[in-house]
Amino acid sequence: MATLRYKSVPVKSSEITPEHVYLSRREFMKAAGVAGVGALLAACGISPGQSEVLPTEPADLQVGATSDELGDALNTYEQITNYNNYYEFTTDKEGVARLSKDFKSSPWEVQVYGLVDKPMTFGLEDLLSKFTQQERIYRMRCVEAWSMVIPWTGFPLAELLKQVEPLSSAKYVRFESILDPEQMPGQKSGFYPWPYQEGLRLDEAMNDLTILATGLYGKPLPNPTGAPVRLVVPWKYGFKSLKAIVKIELVAEQPATLWSSIAPNEYGFYSNVNPEVPHPRWSQASERRIGEAGRRPTLMFNGYAGEVAHLYDGMDLAENY
Ligand SMILES: Nc1nc2c(c(=O)[nH]1)N[C@H]1C(S)=C(S)[C@@H](COP(=O)(O)O)O[C@H]1N2
Ligand SMILES: [Mo]
């Protein structure tokens, strides 16, 4: 019997499930231990109450659980929205919040096409209404050896892929983020080959852990985290989880990705979290959980081996990094 290695909490609108208890922000802070939260904030250099929090934190954050399935506490909304990699805006992790503040994520369209029987274009409203949103509490591990625990809302990518009916010749999925240099100052630099592109093997894309996230803490996805819709692949380094998705293409060959085209010896196609395979310039054996002092060991497949190790049976993971 398969054990669930993530927490999945159905997201229920108040009219459907009045009995479901969502913790208010205050209750959540209480549950997490107020002193603990203060210490966590101090540890990462943010003093509670004084930080410039962008975007404005909604008053009624909704979360169905306060820790992941390993018992690790959720990162706070402030942490998740003020320490981001989003190179279309800036390479400064603490600068993304301010620079992305006015990003216009509506109207939005995601085109799904390529080797499929039924190409489709989804507006954000379609994504929200056609697919049942769930809360998924996932650990996210950046290749730069920091991590967070994030309560996403979203739905399995597999549900969307099934609607377009991939042809048997489709073996990979190629994803593309928005190209909009007028809104994204980082795209005015020619250093990176914009738009941001990523890819997954079709079976990775169809795995239940792989989601399209449309929200955070039960609220619409804030701009720094990839509004209005981003990919989340929690057993891979964070750069696979591309933000502000506009294209999903089913293809026959392994697609090029932004990072592997810039530095193929550092960033492979697979990018599975693996403490045993160091990055050429640093170890991947441990990580810094944002908000914690010290480091913790990195888990194989970021702790999701039970769900995904079988996808790589017979593969040399040092060779296929
Ligand atoms: N379009 C786009 N997506 C992106 C990135 C980016 O620069 N552009 N950075 C990636 C990296 S390196 C990480 S670690 C995660 C960070 O997601 P978070 O800021 O929501 O934690 O987003 C990924 N998705
Ligand atoms: Mo990352």
Side-chain angles (χ1 to χ4, degrees):
M1 195 181 77
T3 323
L4 279 188
R5 303 290 181 88
Y6 58 85
K7 263 194 190 166
S8 187
V9 183
V11 170
K12 302 159 177 175
S13 54
S14 43
E15 70 272 18
I16 307 172
T17 54
E19 78 282 6
H20 187 82
V21 179
Y22 278 119
L23 296 182
S24 70
R25 176 77 187 150
R26 176 175 223 129
E27 285 160 338
F28 171 57
M29 296 298 267
K30 214 159 55 191
V34 178
V37 170
L40 292 179
L41 294 174
C44 73
I46 303 169
S47 2
Q50 293 173 10
S51 56
E52 186 199 8
V53 175
L54 295 162
T56 311
E57 176 173 316
D60 55 340
L61 292 180
Q62 296 176 336
V63 60
T66 56
S67 66
D68 71 7
E69 79 288 2
L70 303 179
D72 294 357
L74 303 187
N75 279 94
T76 64
Y77 189 92
E78 291 94 322
Q79 290 168 335
I80 299 167
T81 57
N82 286 279
Y83 193 80
N84 305 93
N85 272 334
Y86 203 164
Y87 280 25
E88 284 89 336
F89 290 101
T90 171
T91 56
D92 169 13
K93 289 184 242 308
E94 284 157 31
V96 172
R98 189 177 58 82
L99 286 167
S100 66
K101 187 165 53 77
D102 299 322
F103 177 69
K104 205 168 159 284
S105 66
S106 159
W108 197 265
E109 278 187 350
V110 182
Q111 262 177 275
V112 191
Y113 62 104
L115 301 173
V116 299
D117 227 14
K118 300 198 164 73
M120 293 173 91
T121 298
F122 297 88
L124 182 65
E125 309 67 35
D126 299 324
L127 296 180
L128 293 173
S129 62
K130 290 197 164 96
F131 304 101
T132 308
Q133 314 291 308
Q134 318 163 5
E135 180 175 271
R136 290 284 184 100
I137 299 184
Y138 282 165
R139 293 172 296 286
M140 302 294 290
R141 169 62 158 77
C142 179
V143 74
E144 297 165 302
W146 51 269
S147 62
M148 296 199 209
V149 183
I150 302 185
W152 300 112
T153 39
F155 58 91
L157 175 64
E159 291 183 15
L160 179 144
L161 293 178
K162 281 175 200 151
Q163 290 213 351
V164 299
E165 300 179 16
L167 303 177
S168 58
S169 52
K171 304 291 185 217
Y172 293 88
V173 187
R174 189 187 73 89
F175 302 88
E176 210 177 286
S177 295
I178 190 171
L179 180 66
D180 190 352
E182 288 314 306
Q183 288 206 79
M184 301 176 129
Q187 286 185 336
K188 292 194 167 133
S189 144
F191 186 78
Y192 294 99
W194 306 115
Y196 198 104
Q197 279 196 61
E198 260 306 338
L200 295 173
R201 225 170 49 193
L202 187 57
D203 59 343
E204 297 177 319
M206 297 293 284
N207 187 276
D208 179 65
L209 282 181
T210 305
I211 60 167
L212 285 179
T214 54
L216 175 70
Y217 270 104
K219 296 290 162 190
L221 211 57
N223 286 343
T225 62
V229 56
R230 61 94 60 87
L231 184 69
V232 183
V233 195
W235 73 96
K236 293 177 181 279
Y237 293 119
F239 64 85
K240 299 295 279 186
S241 296
L242 84 178
K243 300 178 173 182
I245 296 185
V246 293
K247 288 182 185 171
I248 300 179
E249 183 183 12
L250 284 282
V251 296
E253 308 289 338
Q254 183 176 300
T257 73
L258 180 139
W259 289 105
S260 62
S261 63
I262 298 171
N265 60 322
E266 300 193 5
Y267 308 107
F269 179 78
Y270 285 94
S271 309
N272 292 319
V273 174
N274 188 341
E276 287 156 27
V277 177
H279 184 278
R281 293 184 279 132
W282 60 83
S283 164
Q284 294 290 18
S286 69
E287 67 201 57
R288 184 171 60 93
R289 177 67 47 83
I290 299 304
E292 275 181 11
R295 300 180 75 81
R296 50 166 69 217
T298 286
L299 305 174
M300 187 64 200
F301 294 113
N302 203 22
Y304 301 101
E307 281 70 41
V308 299
H310 69 275
L311 297 173
Y312 311 102
D313 279 349
M315 274 175 72
D316 180 341
L317 296 178
E319 201 58 43
N320 297 284
Y321 55 91

